[in-house]
Amino acid sequence: MLLPFASMGLAVPASAADAATPTAAETTKAKATLIPKLRSGTPDNYIELYGQINKGLLIFDDGGSTLGYGPVDNGNSSTRAGLRLYGVINDDWVMGGNLEWEWNPYSTNYVNQLNRGDFDWETNLLRKAELYLESKTYGKLWLGQGSMASDSTAEVDLSGTSVVGYSLVADMAGGPFYRLSDGELSSIQVKDTFTNFDGLSRKMRIRYDTPQFSGFSLSTSVGTQVVPQTTDVTVWDVAARYENTFDTFKVSGALAYSQPADDQSLIDGSISVLHQPSGLSLTVAAAYSDEDVVDGRYGYFKLGYQTEIFEVGKTAFSVDAYFGEDIDAADSSSTSYGAQLVQNLDYLQTELYLGARSYSYEEPGAELDKSYAVLAGARVKF
């Protein structure tokens, strides 16, 4: 038996939704990359530095002006860095942990017509500070700042293009304001009018995940928000996930119920199916928010295609559509159409991406022009 952390231990995936812990066999099979794993220890006990840099150029047309912003931080997947710890206890038990920060001073969710060129240098955020204990037999127990059980349940996506477009369509250009039909800027930002109601995000919480049974797993958590501001509101959720491969089809899905507040409940889910020989995929996400004032809902659909045009890595294409009601105000409608292209450079651990999207929002008493956005950039992982 090896004691945990005997050679510096424990690790958790970059996203808590990725429940699988990397094994020695997986490490051996990994493709050669420009930057090796920044790891100290043995396959059974180690500490690892990881992260990503995601920068691009955003062009936004609000119907009255077209402005460029750069270099922007891609709100779809922020620039971040962290430490993973991993330690084997015995054949059934392991311990792990994760410490992760985010830094995006010029995010696509921040930049707009009024703050162009104004970097917010203090916008760092502690995403994760958690420990876990995992058993093949009994499941996984998490403690600390990290993903609630419902986090990412509206974001299952096998298209290979989520770095530039997924169910939270506002992340590509959420900061800019809509322009009124009379030419003046409104007070409504794109991010106000589109959401994917993706559960409870990250909180200071305790969470339990069951082992996987025939592709299914269940999880639940209870917690409270401490970053970026403390709310002193206790929230809870339950979630179910499914992942399996049937002959040539890979299927992944999630469904969650959560209570963000006493007067609000959320039901959200997503499913993605990939036909591996052809590279075709279909992704669907939807949610319903029950509130005292406004009941919001949406549906999201994406058609994707992946192929190997170049030896350097897969090329992925996709188109998507979002239809929302009552997101920012009663009797409002939110509509977005998008197209995405991602070229993987496997050895360089880089994804080059290009995305284009329209944003249309209507609410009683306001006539707003349709907006268009284009985002191009690169995400480098290490």
Side-chain angles (χ1 to χ4, degrees):
M1 179 179 77
L2 292 175
L3 293 176
F5 323 127
S7 299
M8 291 187 293
L10 39 268
V12 76
S15 168
D18 303 327
T21 302
T23 65
E26 290 171 338
T27 303
T28 302
K29 294 177 182 178
K31 294 181 179 179
T33 55
L34 179 64
I35 305 173
K37 284 187 177 294
L38 305 177
R39 178 181 293 182
S40 176
T42 70
D44 286 337
N45 298 274
Y46 62 80
I47 182 170
E48 180 178 71
L49 174 67
Y50 71 92
Q52 64 181 40
I53 300 171
N54 194 352
K55 299 287 187 177
L57 171 65
L58 173 67
I59 299 174
F60 190 84
D61 180 354
D62 60 22
S65 67
T66 302
L67 297 175
Y69 304 86
V72 291
D73 298 278
N74 183 345
N76 291 288
S77 182
S78 60
T79 295
R80 63 191 68 161
L83 287 173
R84 294 190 188 120
L85 301 166
Y86 178 78
V88 173
I89 300 174
N90 55 36
D91 290 342
D92 191 40
W93 291 89
V94 299
M95 294 182 66
N98 202 183
L99 190 62
E100 183 177 291
W101 290 270
E102 169 186 276
W103 189 56
N104 52 353
Y106 204 51
S107 170
T108 54
N109 277 314
Y110 164 77
V111 300
N112 59 58
Q113 299 92 328
L114 303 180
N115 68 8
R116 191 162 175 252
D118 182 14
F119 286 67
D120 184 5
W121 299 111
E122 299 181 0
T123 187
N124 64 86
L125 178 69
L126 176 65
R127 289 170 55 88
K128 297 180 181 182
E130 60 187 356
L131 296 173
Y132 71 80
L133 182 64
E134 182 177 17
S135 164
K136 298 174 185 176
T137 306
Y138 300 105
K140 195 170 188 175
L141 183 67
W142 311 71
L143 181 64
Q145 169 70 19
S147 291
M148 295 286 285
S150 56
D151 189 23
S152 300
T153 50
E155 300 173 356
V156 176
D157 192 329
L158 300 177
S159 69
T161 61
S162 58
V163 66
V164 68
Y166 70 120
S167 62
L168 188 48
V169 297
D171 273 355
M172 181 176 162
F177 294 92
Y178 290 101
R179 191 169 293 275
L180 295 165
S181 57
D182 63 7
E184 297 295 319
L185 281 179
S186 75
S187 61
I188 305 172
Q189 293 176 279
V190 170
K191 62 185 177 184
D192 297 330
T193 62
F194 292 89
T195 181
N196 62 358
F197 291 121
D198 183 45
L200 300 179
S201 187
R202 295 176 302 277
K203 301 285 188 291
M204 180 65 71
R205 88 304 192 210
I206 183 170
R207 167 178 167 175
Y208 171 70
D209 295 7
T210 70
Q212 197 173 75
F213 301 101
S214 301
F216 287 97
S217 63
L218 300 175
S219 56
T220 186
S221 58
V222 59
T224 187
Q225 180 174 304
V226 295
V227 292
Q229 293 93 25
T230 301
T231 63
D232 294 324
V233 176
T234 300
V235 297
W236 63 273
D237 57 7
V238 292
R241 288 179 170 82
Y242 179 76
E243 190 167 346
N244 217 333
T245 299
F246 300 94
D247 192 16
T248 58
F249 288 91
K250 183 176 181 180
V251 180
S252 186
L255 181 66
Y257 174 84
S258 55
Q259 283 209 322
D262 291 338
D263 61 348
Q264 182 183 12
S265 60
L266 291 177
I267 299 175
D268 72 86
S270 55
I271 186 169
S272 191
V273 180
L274 170 65
H275 183 240
Q276 297 180 100
S278 69
L280 290 172
S281 64
L282 177 64
T283 300
V284 178
Y288 172 72
S289 170
D290 180 13
E291 296 184 72
D292 284 347
V293 180
V294 178
D295 291 344
R297 61 188 65 81
Y298 79 93
Y300 172 82
F301 310 90
K302 177 192 272 189
L303 181 64
Y305 173 61
Q306 301 175 53
T307 186
E308 295 190 10
I309 301 175
F310 310 107
E311 292 184 1
V312 293
K314 279 188 175 181
T315 306
F317 308 87
S318 61
V319 291
D320 64 12
Y322 176 108
F323 306 98
E325 295 181 5
D326 303 334
I327 300 298
D328 189 47
D331 300 319
S332 66
S333 64
S334 307
T335 306
S336 179
Y337 299 98
Q340 300 84 31
L341 167 64
V342 176
Q343 176 60 57
N344 289 273
L345 307 177
D346 293 342
Y347 177 71
L348 299 178
Q349 297 154 270
T350 297
E351 297 155 282
L352 304 177
Y353 56 80
L354 175 65
R357 184 170 295 285
S358 67
Y359 295 105
S360 178
Y361 177 68
E362 297 179 1
E363 71 171 45
E367 294 186 16
L368 304 171
D369 290 342
K370 184 179 292 188
S371 297
Y372 301 90
V374 175
L375 177 65
R379 177 171 67 176
V380 181
K381 292 183 175 182
F382 60 90

